[in-house]
Amino acid sequence: MNGRTRDTRTARDTRTARDTRTGTRDTGTHTRRTRTRARGALAALAAALLLGACTRNATSAPPGPAPSAASPLPATAPTPQGLLLTADFGADTVTFVDPERGAVASVPVGRAPYALAVGADGRAWVATAEGVAVVDTRTRVRVALIPHRTGTGPVTDGEYRGGGMGIALSPDGARAYVGVNVPGTTGVLEVIDTARREVTAVVPVGRRPFDVDVSADGAEVYVTGHDSFDVTVVAADSLRPRRIEVAPYGTEGGLGSWLKPHYAVVRPADGKLLLPFEGERLAVVDPRTGRTAIEPMTADTHQHGVAVTADGRLLMVGTGAVQPGDGRGPSLTVRSPGGAERVYALQGPHEGVAVSRDYTRDGYWNGNTVVDLDTGATRRLAAGARPLGIAVL
């Protein structure tokens, strides 16, 4: 994702096959990609695909339909339940989206909002380049902006900007945990006291902390370091960090590698972390032992966002092949607890997914996709400006 030089790596599957890839990267978009695969009885399970930028050329995605504009909510009307809330990375707003009609309201929060978390009290905590914004989702008003304690350089836009990335709340809502990217070096986890609305602690973590997750009991925080091939486990009481490498394809190539972790989810059944790679390998990380098991996957697409349903199904969205013909297109994978998968094709690359009736965030047109998990039918909604984070209110 970060590489600006050519990277050639050979990755061996835990079974039999090997594949070699060469990639270059230029200013945040893919410019060249070649791959050869060793075919065999297990090749469908063994082939490694691409890892590229989390942004793609805007012209590469097919345009979405042009739905009729939704009527905006009156300023004084309370926010209905069941709306979606998206963080507009291409603007300075969060957008409220009616899953039937599209965008109905937006609230300025701060520059380049990346991710968000919504508490039981209806307040959304939004990680931006400037700090963490607090939005009352019932009244649609930003009530606070908590500056980062860590210096991240100039406030800018774009894929490599400094500032807040992944964010999560403790189960009791007393703390917000935000991964802060510090360009050119390792990131930090900032701990926010939600009652006082101030940063109370800073913990060193990996490079470019894409995602933050919290264990069900709130005892541990998990920070996915995209550019350092790791998850940092942080004890909530002592704030002591512990690094676990997560690199099912190896770490050769460093910042220039295509094959890095993006997002994780905590499996409700046993508390293990699930991180998909390339629609081919699911890394199952035990945060207690630091061990990682690899399970095969079937989507053959560059995967980003993940979510898990109450019954244990794992949802993963993919951005598609870097170049046409080199892997499959964008998709939503629905994986049962037993490992069986259904793959639904999507229009355009997707970055994240949230669970209700199951909505996915479209990665490079300004909108969302609603997916019916029983039939695979999809419906696209225009909303927001390059939305990244998503939650169901």
Side-chain angles (χ1 to χ4, degrees):
M1 168 141 185
N2 245 348
R4 291 184 172 81
T5 60
R6 177 168 298 177
D7 166 43
T8 302
R9 61 167 64 244
T10 300
R12 183 180 299 274
D13 187 83
T14 55
R15 293 166 176 80
T16 59
R18 174 181 295 177
D19 80 314
T20 305
R21 62 189 42 76
T22 302
T24 63
R25 178 178 166 78
D26 182 22
T27 63
T29 58
H30 298 288
T31 57
R32 182 180 179 185
R33 175 92 160 73
T34 61
R35 173 180 61 184
T36 60
R37 291 185 176 183
R39 302 287 183 178
L42 296 177
L45 301 181
L49 189 60
L50 50 110
L51 182 108
C54 295
T55 58
R56 292 167 57 97
N57 191 323
T59 62
S60 67
S68 58
S71 300
L73 286 173
T76 57
T79 302
Q81 292 187 354
L83 297 192
L84 311 180
L85 185 66
T86 65
D88 298 325
F89 192 60
D92 64 352
T93 55
V94 292
T95 294
F96 293 78
V97 184
D98 185 311
E100 297 295 333
R101 300 183 299 138
V104 294
S106 292
V107 176
V109 291
R111 194 156 175 182
Y114 186 93
L116 53 84
V118 180
D121 60 359
R123 289 183 176 174
W125 300 76
V126 187
T128 81
E130 301 175 48
V132 174
V134 186
V135 176
D136 186 327
T137 64
R138 293 166 294 192
T139 60
R140 300 183 301 285
V141 173
R142 190 188 82 175
V143 296
L145 179 64
I146 305 166
H148 297 304
R149 180 185 292 184
T150 306
T152 61
V155 175
T156 61
D157 301 308
E159 184 179 343
Y160 303 99
R161 66 125 174 92
M165 299 190 78
I167 190 168
L169 291 168
S170 61
D172 61 4
R175 291 171 300 282
Y177 301 100
V178 57
V180 178
N181 179 42
V182 183
T185 186
T186 52
V188 298
L189 179 73
E190 292 192 340
V191 183
I192 296 173
D193 182 310
T194 58
R196 292 156 54 188
R197 296 180 185 171
E198 65 180 29
V199 177
T200 59
V202 177
V203 183
V205 294
R207 295 179 71 107
R208 294 183 71 201
F210 261 47
D211 196 20
V212 178
D213 297 275
V214 181
S215 63
D217 60 4
E220 292 183 331
V221 183
Y222 310 117
V223 185
T224 302
H226 178 272
D227 285 1
S228 47
F229 301 90
D230 59 24
V231 169
T232 302
V233 180
V234 179
D237 52 2
S238 67
L239 297 181
R240 181 176 301 169
R242 175 168 50 89
R243 179 182 184 268
I244 300 174
E245 181 175 287
V246 185
Y249 295 94
T251 62
E252 182 182 351
L255 294 179
S257 168
W258 300 95
L259 302 172
K260 301 173 183 174
H262 286 74
Y263 300 95
V265 68
V266 179
R267 186 160 63 187
D270 57 10
K272 292 183 179 179
L273 304 177
L274 306 178
L275 297 92
F277 285 76
E278 310 311 301
E280 296 175 335
R281 305 179 189 184
L282 180 66
V284 182
V285 180
D286 188 333
R288 294 173 291 277
T289 65
R291 294 173 182 164
T292 299
I294 305 299
E295 298 178 5
M297 298 182 65
T298 61
D300 196 20
T301 187
H302 177 45
Q303 285 171 325
H304 281 203
V306 292
V308 65
T309 66
D311 62 4
R313 286 176 294 170
L314 183 63
L315 309 183
M316 298 157 283
V317 289
T319 66
V322 171
Q323 289 186 352
D326 191 8
R328 297 174 186 168
S331 64
L332 168 69
T333 295
V334 182
R335 183 183 178 93
S336 73
E341 293 185 344
R342 288 182 292 165
V343 180
Y344 299 127
L346 299 173
Q347 294 184 50
H350 286 61
E351 180 82 10
V353 57
V355 179
S356 178
R357 294 178 183 175
D358 300 299
Y359 308 106
T360 65
R361 198 282 309 176
D362 192 317
Y364 224 101
W365 75 289
N366 295 331
N368 302 267
T369 299
V370 183
V371 180
D372 185 316
L373 293 187
D374 292 327
T375 66
T378 62
R379 176 165 46 85
R380 286 155 67 92
L381 298 169
R386 193 180 163 195
L388 278 180
I390 184 169
V392 180
L393 301 181

